Structures are given as C-alpha cells and as structure tokens.
C-alpha cells in the first residue's frame, strides 16, 4: 500500500474538521475527493502536504511516516494549492529552473525545459508569469510541483477560476501526468471534471469519508444523486 491514512483527526478549538478518516491508496491511483465547503477536504490535503499537523492519527507514504520521517516524506511530495508559489516577474523557465536548483538538480535549465514541454508551455518559456493566462499559470504551477518528480501529487481545487477551454486543457494534462508510478489526490467541487480524471472517487462530509469507490464501478449518471443523498444523510 503506497498511501495509508489511519484514524486521522483534526480539531480547531471545539470543532472537529476531521473525525477519524481512514484511507488507503495503491501506487498509481488517482483519487478525486468531493465534498461541500467545510467538509474537511482542504484540511485533509494540508495534513497530507505537511502544512498542518493532525490532532491524532497517522499518515504514511512510500513507507515513510509523516511525523517520524518528515523530510523523507516531503522529498516524495508535490503540491498544487490555492497559491501558485510562482514569481510573477520571472519567466516560466526561470521559475522552474529556480525550483530545480533548490532541489539540487544538476541541470536546472534542462529540467525546466523538460517540464515546460510536458505541460505544453514550451512556446511561452520566456514569458513572465504575469503575462500568462490563468489556465497557463495553473499548468505552470503543476510543472513546479513536478520538479522533484514526486511519487505523491496533491492538487487542491485546480479547476477553480478556469474557463471551460482551460479546464479541459488542464484535465488533459492531468491524464498525461498520472501514471502507474505517481499517486494523485485531487480535491474539487467539479463533479464532471473529477469523474473524467479519477480512478477512485471519495466523498467527505462533515469530517468523515462517507464514500470511497473505484471509478469503474460508478455510474456517472447516478453519481450526482448519490453525492447529494449522502450529504443529506449526514
């Protein structure tokens, strides 16, 4: 098992954002997590990204415990959050080369060029980030998260703010980036886009994982009704 989450809880004062989440993913799976605002999706992703400490419970990825071996865990991690962590005045290539250098890569410029090709931005390599469209910036953010070739990629609402064309381009990029060697956890409100991308589907409601199923076993036409039914039950 590649990713193991056991009895994960997170409390803010007297409010439990996560109430004992258990989750297991094999290497190469792409889990799409759905849920309304306040369900605990971002809290779970922040804990997996080591940006937030759990109140209790454990997280292991690639055999490394988040608390016992945080550096080894982080070395296998890529994160796309609401912040791009891109420098607006630098070009697309300069941003990626900067992060590649931070990871100590022998050829930062070469790594930057490889990633720009991978996210279909080679033609805008010398454009400053401030001159890129929202969709291009999001694809560049994904390239930034891939600099260290992570085993675990976390994406928090990557379709937010994108028009239909940009969202479709991003979906296609996610399909290319997902392979048997990389596990992906994607959080989104967009049911249709999530269904298009995932190999497994999960629903969080009030801090609990109330649904987890293989995408191949799910009828897309019935999933939306099941989603809202589970939220009402909770």
């Amino acid at each position: 098992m590649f990713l193991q989450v056991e009895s994960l809880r997170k409390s803010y004062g007297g409010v439990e954002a996560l109430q004992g989440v258990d989750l297991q993913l094999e290497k190469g799976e792409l889990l799409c997590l759905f849920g309304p605002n306040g369900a605990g999706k971002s809290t779970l992703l922040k804990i997996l990204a080591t940006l937030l400490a759990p109140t209790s419970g454990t997280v292991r990825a690639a055999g490394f415990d988040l608390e016992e071996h945080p550096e080894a865990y982080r070395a296998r991690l890529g994160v796309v959050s609401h912040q791009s962590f891109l420098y607006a005045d630098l070009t697309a290539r300069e941003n990626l080369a900067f992060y590649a250098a931070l990871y100590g890569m022998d050829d930062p410029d070469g790594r930057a060029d490889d990633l720009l090709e991978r996210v279909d931005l080679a033609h805008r390599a010398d454009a400053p980030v401030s001159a890129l469209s929202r969709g291009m910036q999001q694809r560049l953010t994904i390239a930034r998260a891939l600099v260290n070739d992570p085993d675990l990629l976390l994406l928090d609402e990557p379709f937010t703010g994108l028009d239909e064309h940009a969202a479709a381009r991003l979906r296609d990029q996610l399909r290319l980036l997902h392979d048997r060697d990389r596990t992906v956890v994607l959080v989104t409100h967009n049911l249709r886009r999530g269904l298009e991308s995932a190999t497994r589907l999960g629903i969080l409601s009030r801090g609990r994982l109330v649904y987890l199923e293989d995408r191949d076993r799910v009828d897309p036409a019935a999933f939306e009704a099941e989603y809202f039914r589970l939220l009402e039950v909770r």
Side-chain angles (χ1 to χ4, degrees):
M1 196 62 60
F2 176 78
L3 178 65
Q4 296 174 288
V5 177
E6 296 181 358
S7 303
L8 199 65
R9 293 181 177 271
K10 179 61 182 179
S11 298
Y12 299 97
V15 178
E16 278 197 303
L18 295 178
Q19 301 185 50
V21 172
D22 293 299
L23 175 65
Q24 294 185 334
L25 293 177
E26 299 284 359
K27 190 172 185 179
E29 291 195 272
L30 193 161
L31 170 67
C32 187
L33 276 176
F34 303 101
N37 290 334
K41 305 185 305 300
S42 291
T43 297
L44 175 59
L45 220 62
K46 285 178 181 178
I47 291 174
L48 295 180
T50 74
L51 300 175
L52 194 63
T55 301
S56 62
T58 60
V59 177
R60 295 176 64 85
F64 293 100
D65 186 279
L66 185 154
E67 291 192 7
E68 293 180 4
H69 307 285
E71 294 304 320
Y73 178 95
R74 290 190 191 102
R76 287 160 171 77
L77 186 64
V79 180
V80 175
S81 67
H82 295 291
Q83 290 181 283
S84 70
F85 298 106
L86 299 172
Y87 294 91
D89 294 335
L90 297 183
T91 67
R93 179 186 287 113
E94 288 169 341
N95 267 278
L96 297 183
F98 169 75
Y99 281 103
L102 284 182
Y103 277 102
M105 296 193 169
D106 293 335
D107 183 10
D109 290 331
R111 180 61 174 159
D113 288 337
D114 288 344
L115 289 168
L116 288 168
E117 288 282 355
R118 196 166 187 184
V119 297
D120 196 21
L121 285 176
H123 64 296
R124 301 305 306 273
D126 296 318
V129 167
S130 59
L132 300 178
S133 69
R134 174 77 176 88
M136 289 180 179
Q137 288 184 17
Q138 193 69 319
R139 279 150 51 203
L140 185 61
T141 300
I142 290 175
R144 188 266 305 154
L146 293 172
V147 162
N148 61 325
D149 194 22
D151 297 315
L152 177 61
L153 180 62
L154 308 176
L155 302 107
D156 192 2
E157 298 289 358
F159 298 105
T160 299
L162 301 185
D163 60 30
E164 189 64 22
H165 175 71
R169 290 290 300 275
L170 180 59
R171 175 207 62 198
D172 293 341
Q173 291 298 322
L174 290 176
R175 285 176 173 171
L176 291 174
L177 297 175
H178 172 236
D179 56 40
R180 293 181 180 179
D181 293 326
R182 179 174 292 114
T183 302
V184 181
V185 179
L186 164 66
V187 163
T188 182
H189 284 99
N190 193 316
L191 298 183
R192 179 167 64 90
R193 293 299 181 198
L195 284 165
E196 290 173 343
S197 305
T199 64
R200 295 187 82 188
L201 304 172
I203 298 174
L204 271 171
S205 178
R206 300 181 189 178
R208 294 184 182 276
L209 188 63
V210 297
Y211 179 96
L212 187 64
E213 187 58 88
D214 291 343
R215 170 64 181 82
D216 292 343
R217 297 168 60 92
V218 175
D219 176 7
F223 181 74
E224 182 174 355
E226 178 68 0
Y227 171 75
F228 288 111
R229 185 191 70 78
L230 286 169
L231 298 190
E232 289 175 0
V233 169
R234 294 291 301 154

